Amino acid sequence: MLRFIIFFSLFIHLCVAAPKTPAAAAAVPAKKWLTLNGQEPAVVARGGFSGLFPESSAPANDMAVSTSSPGLTMLCNLQMTKDGVGLCLSDIRLDNATTISSLFPKAQKTYKVNGQDLKGWFVLDYDADTIFSNVSLVQNIFSRPSIFDGQMPVSAVEDVLGTKPPKFWLSVQYDAFYMEHKLSAAEYLRSLRFRGINVISSPEIGFLKSIGMDAGRAKTKLIFEFKEPEAIEPTTNKKYSELQQNLAAIKAFASGVLVPKDYIWPLDSAKYLKPATTFVADAHKAGLEVYASGFANDMLTSFNYSYDPSAEYLQFVDNGQFSVDGVITDFPPTASQSITCLSHQKGNLPKSGHALVITHNGASGDYPGCTDLAYQKAVDDGADVIDCSVQMSKDGIAFCHDAADLTASTTAMTTFMSRATSVPEIQPTNGIFSFDLTWAEIQSVKPQIESPFTATGFQRNPANKNAGKFITLAEFLDFSKAKAVAGVLINIQNAAYLASKKGLGVVDAVKSALAKSTLDKQSTQKVLIQSDDSSVLASFEAVPPYTRVLSIDKEIGDAPKPSVEEIKKHADAVNLMRTSLVTVSQSFATGKTNVVEEMHKANISVYVSVLRNEYISIAFDYFSDPTVELATFIAGSGVDGVITEFPATATRYLRSPCSDLNKDQPYAILPAEAGALLSVADKEAQPPVSAPNPPLDAKDVIDPPLPPVANLAASNATGGAQPHPPPPSGAVAITANLGLSLLAMLALGVLCVA
């Protein structure tokens, strides 16, 4: 336990900024809030930082206070032992949040709770000493870190109060059940004299009325909690939906209400927001504060939020119509930054620092990538640089698309399955390639939104699944000039193959398009030319205004001087994978490389890619929060740009004053310290140490000269091109298998849509 405390203290020291003085906080202009009292909405940490650590454990509580804005409220769910001791646990049963079932495997019991039979290991069957001496906490949501399981004791209410949190909220869920078994939450509270308890909530009207006078004397706020609308309130035997119709009656015994968030912003069956209800306005009219519950970074919510948890908080506190008075959350730092740092960003606020927001296929997290709508959304979201990965059609039209293979992000399989081929020079799997279709044929297929995580249930914006249209490179450049974006990134792929095997000069097509747009003769808009081929970049050396970017598409652990010197011959910047800057093992950030520093020594800019909002792609150290990941790369690693599929999230962060760690602010969005979170766990529970990424080899930077563009028409006319040999005996079977494979993929796609 001592070792744990030492490591945890180190973790807090590494990850948390020193609290700002009241004077510094006072220097920040006050925001106007549409809460009942006009004050900033409260952040209420459910069981501390329960998104990382087991609920109400000492580390969860300490971490919540240390990483959240001043004035945090700590929420403890009260459960009672056989001998009347109050514990902070999420449920009346121990089995989902502790090790009790492995210690007493045959001790399950069944009780009737609020009219339902529940089976498990109940707190009231054990005395406090048995629990404190034998039982440890575990994480009760299985997508969260499990390496802390079995290492932390259960906390008594007095333990949490003893840490003197800024504010303390006690949730009493089951008073009627405990009363049936001769345990009284009211008497327990009176034994504490309500000291240090700022808020008490309960879904039971009778309990709140029974402690009303005591709470009034102690100046403890009482909150009535609404359960699901069809659930029955035990005192009145009425549905909560009925009680909602008379909020004025609730004002007689409570000063506020706590509701699931869909009481305020309901979702339709497709997981899109419906219009807001009038609940907040009605409650405020009755003089009641409104607290919303159910916030967590690692739970699937509305597609309207684009997997950005900050966007959800802002929907509840900064929508221009109303604001809830507080939010109950498992991730208090995200709620804190949303309210304190990211709210009230009206208009085109300037960004902090020099880091560029560069798109990956436009705003491809919200629309099919490289479509007109994806680019328009990127501009609307404040992207600095929009990108076009240039592909070539069979008839020589240069257009924007993520890859030469059209199968994943278009509906080409439905029309051109028979045109699928194998091109091992480009990818190991079969595909339907743009250079085998004319531009008219490509225009006949629909774009299709692509998610890297569909197999794990993370769809992207299904309402826009096939929205938009693909555009040519010339149209992309015209659009960028018309919208006056700060810059464009032109990504050139497969140039050698296209020139030698298909007779298509993608480099010449890019040069011609840029010249026609006159972007080669100005310096107002940045032009970034990116490729993983150094010879492609060398062909643009004669145009000084262009920034040449070498894309390094493999993980590296170091950038030795010879490699950096070789890069400098060809490029002004590099595009690196996230894991080349911060190494990750089993969703934990394990270390930080010095690659950025080595590149910067040579005056080479560093862009990091690809950043996505889905929490499944984000390390636990970043709190399952894309904003903290941004802070880690921008403020922590010092990158010069982030390449993202969700530019709105990056822009919102950079427009926040909290992104500038040199400013004197009451709260800052801090970068994660790689390895700090992992060090909190017992050594035996940590994942095995991974081998370090290899250093970048100078040989990997050097590519052979580009071949000339083959004149395939002339070659065919003179007989230079030999006819294909007859297929081997297995070719028919291979073709059939390819057709069946694509057919199966098509069928799966139809099922997913259904």
Side-chain angles (χ1 to χ4, degrees):
M1 188 65 186
L2 178 59
R3 173 188 174 279
F4 179 86
I5 292 170
I6 292 171
F7 270 128
F8 188 71
S9 298
L10 173 64
F11 178 50
I12 294 295
H13 175 72
L14 289 171
C15 295
V16 180
K20 300 293 191 290
T21 63
V28 180
K31 297 177 181 178
K32 294 182 179 179
W33 294 98
L34 298 176
T35 52
L36 179 65
N37 56 17
Q39 296 179 358
E40 182 175 288
V43 175
V44 184
R46 188 187 71 88
F49 200 152
S50 53
L52 273 186
F53 298 102
E55 183 177 332
S56 291
S57 62
N61 294 331
D62 292 342
M63 187 73 165
V65 173
S66 301
T67 59
S68 304
S69 53
L72 176 79
T73 300
M74 192 76 65
L75 186 146
C76 158
N77 282 298
L78 174 68
Q79 310 302 336
M80 300 192 69
T81 64
K82 181 190 296 186
D83 48 348
V85 174
L87 306 181
C88 292
L89 286 167
S90 58
D91 191 57
I92 51 174
R93 292 167 294 182
L94 289 158
D95 33 306
N96 195 35
T98 75
T99 56
I100 189 77
S101 60
S102 61
L103 297 169
F104 306 104
K106 297 182 180 180
Q108 269 188 314
K109 288 188 178 181
T110 300
Y111 287 100
K112 192 173 289 293
V113 181
N114 293 338
Q116 294 184 331
D117 287 334
L118 296 183
K119 187 176 182 180
W121 286 258
F122 286 77
V123 179
L124 58 72
D125 288 325
Y126 302 90
D127 58 43
D129 186 61
T130 299
I131 292 175
F132 292 143
S133 301
N134 299 283
V135 177
S136 300
L137 294 168
V138 299
Q139 178 57 261
N140 60 5
I141 294 178
F142 299 122
S143 61
R144 294 176 179 176
S146 61
I147 63 170
F148 308 115
D149 289 359
Q151 300 171 37
M152 303 168 188
V154 176
S155 295
V157 172
E158 289 90 332
D159 294 333
V160 181
L161 284 170
T163 65
K164 301 190 183 311
K167 294 179 182 177
F168 184 77
W169 178 318
L170 195 66
S171 172
V172 182
Q173 297 283 316
Y174 301 103
D175 179 65
F177 171 74
Y178 284 121
M179 289 289 285
E180 290 175 15
H181 298 276
K182 300 181 180 179
L183 291 168
S184 170
E187 289 306 313
Y188 173 71
L189 289 169
R190 291 185 184 105
S191 72
L192 297 177
R193 299 184 182 179
F194 289 75
R195 288 176 181 166
I197 303 174
N198 304 93
V199 182
I200 296 173
S201 65
S202 178
E204 301 180 6
I205 292 175
F207 170 72
L208 292 176
K209 287 183 174 180
S210 73
I211 62 169
M213 292 183 62
D214 298 288
R217 283 192 291 267
K219 297 184 179 178
T220 299
K221 186 183 297 184
L222 297 183
I223 303 293
F224 177 59
E225 179 178 356
F226 280 82
K227 294 294 189 180
E228 295 304 316
E230 294 306 300
I232 302 296
E233 192 280 318
T235 305
T236 62
N237 287 322
K238 291 182 178 179
K239 293 180 180 180
Y240 287 96
S241 57
E242 294 180 61
L243 298 175
Q244 181 184 342
Q245 305 308 312
N246 190 4
L247 293 176
I250 294 172
K251 180 62 178 174
F253 59 87
S255 60
V257 291
L258 168 61
V259 295
K261 58 189 179 184
D262 57 2
Y263 267 67
I264 300 167
W265 284 104
L267 304 184
D268 64 20
S269 59
K271 292 190 175 180
Y272 286 93
L273 288 175
K274 295 165 72 172
T277 69
T278 61
F279 187 93
V280 174
D282 295 342
H284 282 177
K285 185 177 180 180
L288 293 166
E289 292 182 321
V290 179
Y291 296 85
S293 66
F295 292 90
N297 295 3
D298 55 357
M299 292 184 183
L300 300 179
T301 57
S302 170
F303 290 113
N304 297 81
Y305 304 133
S306 301
Y307 292 102
D308 183 351
S310 292
E312 182 176 26
Y313 289 111
L314 294 173
Q315 187 74 21
F316 283 79
V317 303
D318 188 25
N319 57 53
Q321 302 299 315
F322 63 83
S323 172
V324 297
D325 300 276
V327 292
I328 317 296
T329 175
D330 294 2
F331 291 82
T334 303
S336 296
Q337 74 191 19
S338 302
I339 293 169
T340 304
C341 303
L342 305 178
S343 61
H344 299 113
Q345 285 191 10
K346 305 304 180 188
N348 192 20
L349 297 176
K351 298 186 181 77
S352 300
H354 69 282
L356 296 173
V357 176
I358 306 170
T359 65
H360 184 246
N361 306 322
S364 54
D366 293 303
Y367 288 93
C370 298
T371 59
D372 55 341
L373 296 180
Y375 290 126
Q376 183 59 59
K377 180 71 162 62
V379 171
D380 294 341
D381 290 343
D384 298 305
V385 177
I386 57 175
D387 71 305
C388 171
S389 288
V390 181
Q391 309 302 333
M392 299 295 290
S393 68
K394 185 177 182 178
D395 49 349
I397 302 299
F399 69 101
C400 302
H401 191 261
D402 182 48
D405 183 8
L406 303 177
T407 54
S409 53
T410 76
T411 58
M413 281 197 301
T414 61
T415 309
F416 299 109
M417 187 184 297
S418 62
R419 308 275 282 275
T421 56
S422 173
V423 184
E425 296 94 330
I426 292 179
Q427 65 186 38
T429 56
N430 299 307
I432 300 170
F433 294 96
S434 67
F435 44 73
D436 291 330
L437 303 178
T438 65
W439 177 236
E441 289 174 321
I442 292 168
Q443 287 180 298
S444 73
V445 303
K446 292 180 180 180
Q448 186 166 278
I449 199 164
E450 189 176 4
S451 169
F453 314 110
T454 301
T456 51
F458 289 79
Q459 281 185 295
R460 284 183 174 175
N461 206 356
N464 293 334
K465 181 180 179 181
N466 300 115
K469 65 178 183 178
F470 293 122
I471 60 176
T472 65
L473 174 59
E475 290 169 335
F476 169 82
L477 296 175
D478 288 344
F479 173 85
S480 68
K481 291 184 70 176
K483 299 298 180 180
V485 294
V488 295
L489 183 148
I490 309 299
N491 184 34
I492 301 176
Q493 306 169 332
N494 310 313
Y497 174 83
L498 291 171
S500 62
K501 299 296 180 68
K502 295 295 176 179
L504 296 169
V506 63
V507 171
D508 293 337
V510 169
K511 287 182 177 179
S512 174
L514 287 169
K516 287 179 181 177
S517 71
T518 67
L519 284 172
D520 61 337
K521 299 179 179 64
Q522 54 83 54
S523 57
T524 304
Q525 290 179 289
K526 287 177 176 287
V527 177
L528 286 70
I529 304 295
Q530 175 178 287
S531 181
D532 60 355
D533 189 327
S534 59
S535 294
V536 170
L537 299 181
S539 65
F540 289 88
E541 187 175 6
V543 190
Y546 295 169
T547 298
R548 294 173 296 160
V549 184
L550 180 65
S551 178
I552 300 176
D553 298 328
K554 67 173 188 176
E555 293 181 335
I556 61 173
D558 192 14
K561 190 174 182 181
S563 302
V564 175
E565 290 174 346
E566 191 62 42
I567 290 172
K568 190 63 180 173
K569 296 176 185 177
H570 310 284
D572 311 292
V574 290
N575 175 0
L576 300 175
M577 298 174 66
R578 296 179 301 165
T579 47
S580 291
L581 307 186
V582 178
T583 55
V584 176
S585 175
Q586 296 186 18
S587 295
F588 286 94
T590 55
K592 180 182 176 183
T593 71
N594 65 349
V595 172
V596 174
E597 290 83 351
E598 295 302 321
M599 295 292 179
H600 281 174
K601 286 178 186 177
N603 200 28
I604 297 173
S605 299
V606 177
Y607 308 133
V608 61
S609 67
V610 173
L611 274 66
R612 301 179 171 102
N613 281 4
E614 290 93 341
Y615 72 82
I616 196 173
S617 71
I618 299 172
F620 292 132
D621 305 68
Y622 309 145
F623 307 159
S624 301
D625 183 352
T627 300
V628 176
E629 183 176 41
L630 285 161
T632 300
F633 288 117
I634 295 173
S637 297
V639 300
D640 303 282
V642 291
I643 298 177
T644 175
E645 295 174 345
F646 296 89
T649 300
T651 301
R652 187 185 294 124
Y653 161 71
L654 285 169
R655 285 177 175 168
S656 163
C658 304
S659 65
D660 186 351
L661 301 187
N662 295 316
K663 280 189 176 180
D664 200 7
Q665 299 284 343
Y667 185 74
I669 302 174
L670 298 174
E673 185 73 23
L677 180 59
L678 200 57
S679 69
V680 177
D682 286 347
K683 197 73 175 176
E684 310 80 59
Q686 297 179 18
V689 178
S690 302
N693 293 333
L696 180 63
D697 194 320
K699 299 196 300 289
D700 294 332
V701 177
I702 305 169
D703 292 291
L706 288 177
V709 177
N711 188 344
L712 297 186
S715 179
N716 289 334
T718 61
Q722 298 299 316
H724 290 294
S729 59
V732 174
I734 292 171
T735 304
N737 286 338
L738 171 61
L740 288 171
S741 173
L742 291 173
L743 186 60
M745 292 170 67
L746 176 60
L748 178 62
V750 171
L751 287 173
C752 289
V753 171

